[in-house]
Amino acid sequence: MTATDSLSVWLRVRRETDWHSAPALQRIPTDHDGFRSWCERPVRRRDPIRAGRLLAAYNLACEDAARRSPLSFALLSGWQREVLASPRAPFRVSDA
């Protein structure tokens, strides 16, 4: 049995799709935030400190998204520092 190259399949589908005829996506705000619910329920039951850190980082990410901040290594690192409650995020240094 040979493995399927999922990337090749996806690239072929993207090329073959008539994107101009596809319906436009509509952004419909929801009353339910799945990530927030996950943090508030099962994560908080297991580890309330972790839940608080995850939600704090998520709030930062939402604020950055609302400001339309460009996604950067520094931004990701800031969120990760919040999750870990650490002044340094354990990321490799960007070569760029």
Side-chain angles (χ1 to χ4, degrees):
M1 178 183 226
T2 60
T4 300
D5 182 350
S6 298
L7 178 59
S8 294
V9 171
W10 172 237
L11 292 173
R12 179 182 50 77
V13 168
R14 283 187 62 186
R15 279 191 310 271
E16 294 172 359
T17 300
D18 181 7
W19 295 105
H20 297 291
S21 298
L25 294 177
Q26 296 179 348
R27 293 183 182 206
I28 302 170
T30 179
D31 294 337
H32 180 76
D33 183 324
F35 182 77
R36 194 172 301 281
S37 295
W38 177 73
C39 288
E40 289 294 355
R41 291 184 183 99
V43 176
R44 189 166 300 282
R45 280 193 299 271
R46 283 191 311 266
D47 187 343
I49 294 171
R50 179 174 182 248
R53 289 177 182 168
L54 286 169
L55 287 168
Y58 183 59
N59 288 335
L60 289 176
C62 289
E63 291 166 6
D64 288 329
R67 283 193 301 273
R68 302 183 66 82
S69 299
L71 188 59
S72 66
F73 181 80
L75 206 62
L76 292 170
S77 179
W79 302 340
Q80 183 70 355
R81 286 192 307 272
E82 191 71 33
V83 168
L84 299 175
S86 172
R88 298 186 62 223
F91 284 124
R92 287 182 274 194
V93 177
S94 172
D95 294 333

